[in-house]
Amino acid sequence: MEHQPMPRADEGFKLYHYNPSTTGNAILAGLFAVASIAHLWRIIKSRAWYFIPFLIGCLFEAGGYAARVISSNQTPHWTLNPYLVQTLLLLLGPTLYAASIYMVLGRLIRSLDASHHSIIRVNWLTKIFLMGDILSILSQGGGKVIINTIQLGGGMMAKAKTTEALNVANTVVILGLGIQIIFFSLFIVAIIVFHLRIRRAPTSQSLISTSHWERFVWVLYVSSVLILVRSVFRVCEFALGNGNVFQSSEIYIFVLDAAPILAVAVAFAWFHPCNVLVGYRKLGKGTSAESESESEAYMMGGYHS
C-alpha cells in the first residue's frame, strides 16, 4: 500500500489547530472506560442485549479519547492514523447510543401496555428510528465499512488530498449528522406525545407499576437533548470549514461533545432501562422475540422488516 503523507499546514489543512491535552484526554478515556465496564456489568446481569450498541458506543468514546492521547504525545508532528481513529470513533459513538435509546422507547410503551398512546405504531417505532440511525452511521463513517469501493464521510477524510475532496467529505459527514438531528428531533416528539397521552389516560399497568417509569421518561428527554446539542455542535464544526472557531480550542470538544455524551452514559448507567422494563417480557406474545431480533439485525448492520 502506498504511504499517505500527513497533510501539512502549508497545504491548507492541519490535523489539529491546538495542542491536544494529554491529561484531559486521558481522564476522558478513563471515564468512558469505567462507564463501559458499568454498562457491560448491567447488560450481563440483566440480559439487556438491546443495550449492546450503547456499550459499543462507550467503547468507541474511550478509544477515541485514547487516540487523542496518542496524538497529544506527537505534538506538533501528528500522524494521520490516531487522528483518523479519534475522528471516526467520536463521530460514531453517539450514533450507537441512539440505536439503544430508540429500542428502549418501544419496550417502555409495551411494558406499560400503552401501544395505543404511541404516535407511531409500536411495531414500526423502533424500525423507523433504527433505519434513520443506520443511514446516519453510513454517512458519518461509511468509509470504514466500504473503503476502496464507495467513499463516504469519515473514510473519505482519510484519503482526501485536496481541499475540494475535504469539502465533499465534510458535506457527507454533515448530512449524516443532519439525519441524526432530524430523527432525534422526531424521537423527542414521539416521547412527548406518548408522555402526554399516558398522563391524560393512564393504563392500568402504568398505575400499578413500581418501576418509576416516568422518571425514566425524563432520562430519555434529557439524554436526547444532550445528544442533539452535541450533534448541532458537530454540524457547526464541520460546516464552518477548516480552522473555524470550534476547531481553534480543545475546550469546545470537551464541553460540547465529551461532557454531554459522558453525562448520557452516566445517566443510563445509574438509571438503567433494565430497572424499568421489568415487566416487558410478560406483556404481549412474541414481543420479546421480535425486539431481540431488532437488536440482532442492528448489530448485523441493517434492519429487515
Side-chain angles (χ1 to χ4, degrees):
M1 179 181 288
E2 181 182 353
H3 174 68
Q4 296 291 338
M6 183 188 75
R8 298 181 343 206
D10 57 3
E11 293 173 334
F13 178 75
K14 293 176 64 177
L15 296 183
Y16 299 97
H17 293 270
Y18 50 80
N19 296 334
S21 166
T22 301
T23 302
N25 286 293
I27 290 173
L28 286 169
L31 290 173
F32 277 109
V34 171
S36 299
I37 294 171
H39 280 285
L40 177 61
W41 177 76
R42 286 281 204 173
I43 288 171
I44 294 174
K45 182 181 179 182
S46 62
R47 300 178 62 84
W49 311 126
Y50 56 88
F51 233 60
I52 288 177
F54 196 100
L55 168 62
I56 297 175
C58 288
L59 292 171
F60 273 26
E61 294 290 325
Y65 287 105
R68 290 177 68 86
V69 171
I70 295 174
S71 287
S72 71
N73 291 323
Q74 297 175 339
T75 304
H77 305 294
W78 304 295
T79 56
L80 186 60
N81 286 341
Y83 172 80
L84 176 60
V85 168
Q86 66 89 26
T87 297
L88 291 178
L89 294 186
L90 296 185
L91 274 176
L92 296 180
T95 310
L96 292 166
Y97 278 26
S100 288
I101 292 173
Y102 291 152
M103 285 188 268
V104 163
L105 180 60
R107 284 168 166 75
L108 176 63
I109 292 173
R110 283 197 180 99
S111 72
L112 298 175
D113 198 19
S115 297
H116 55 290
H117 286 324
S118 177
I119 192 174
I120 302 172
R121 188 175 175 181
V122 176
N123 287 341
W124 285 99
L125 183 68
T126 302
K127 298 178 183 179
I128 290 172
F129 288 116
L130 283 184
M131 284 300 297
D133 205 48
I134 291 169
L135 288 174
S136 179
I137 286 177
L138 290 176
S139 294
Q140 292 182 61
K144 265 292 184 184
V145 179
I146 48 178
I147 194 168
N148 297 326
T149 54
I150 301 176
Q151 292 182 319
L152 290 173
M156 194 170 179
M157 293 177 68
K159 293 188 174 183
K161 298 179 181 179
T162 66
T163 301
E164 180 180 357
L166 275 173
N167 288 338
V168 174
N170 283 345
T171 300
V172 179
V173 172
I174 291 169
L175 175 62
L177 289 166
I179 291 172
Q180 187 176 72
I181 289 172
I182 291 172
F183 275 85
F184 243 115
S185 298
L186 293 174
F187 180 71
I188 292 174
V189 171
I191 299 173
I192 292 173
V193 171
F194 162 71
H195 194 192
L196 291 176
R197 286 178 175 178
I198 198 169
R199 292 195 70 181
R200 284 198 301 262
T203 62
S204 58
Q205 187 66 27
S206 69
L207 292 174
I208 65 175
S209 174
T210 60
S211 63
H212 302 291
W213 63 267
E214 193 162 12
R215 186 183 304 172
F216 184 72
V217 169
W218 284 102
V219 172
L220 289 177
Y221 281 139
V222 173
S223 298
S224 299
V225 170
L226 287 174
I227 294 178
L228 271 180
V229 168
R230 172 265 175 193
S231 297
V232 171
F233 156 65
R234 283 296 195 171
V235 167
C236 294
E237 181 188 26
F238 283 99
L240 294 178
N242 186 41
N244 67 73
V245 62
F246 292 113
Q247 295 178 357
S248 65
S249 172
E250 196 171 35
I251 191 65
Y252 292 109
I253 195 169
F254 284 171
V255 173
L256 297 176
D257 192 320
I261 299 307
L262 181 60
V264 173
V266 172
F268 279 104
W270 183 262
F271 205 85
H272 198 272
C274 68
N275 296 330
V276 178
L277 305 179
V278 290
Y280 173 71
R281 292 178 180 271
K282 300 177 182 178
L283 292 175
K285 294 181 179 179
T287 53
S288 177
E290 175 190 347
S291 299
E292 291 302 328
S293 69
E294 290 169 357
S295 301
E296 293 171 2
Y298 185 87
M299 295 305 295
M300 293 174 63
Y303 198 102
H304 304 286
S305 57

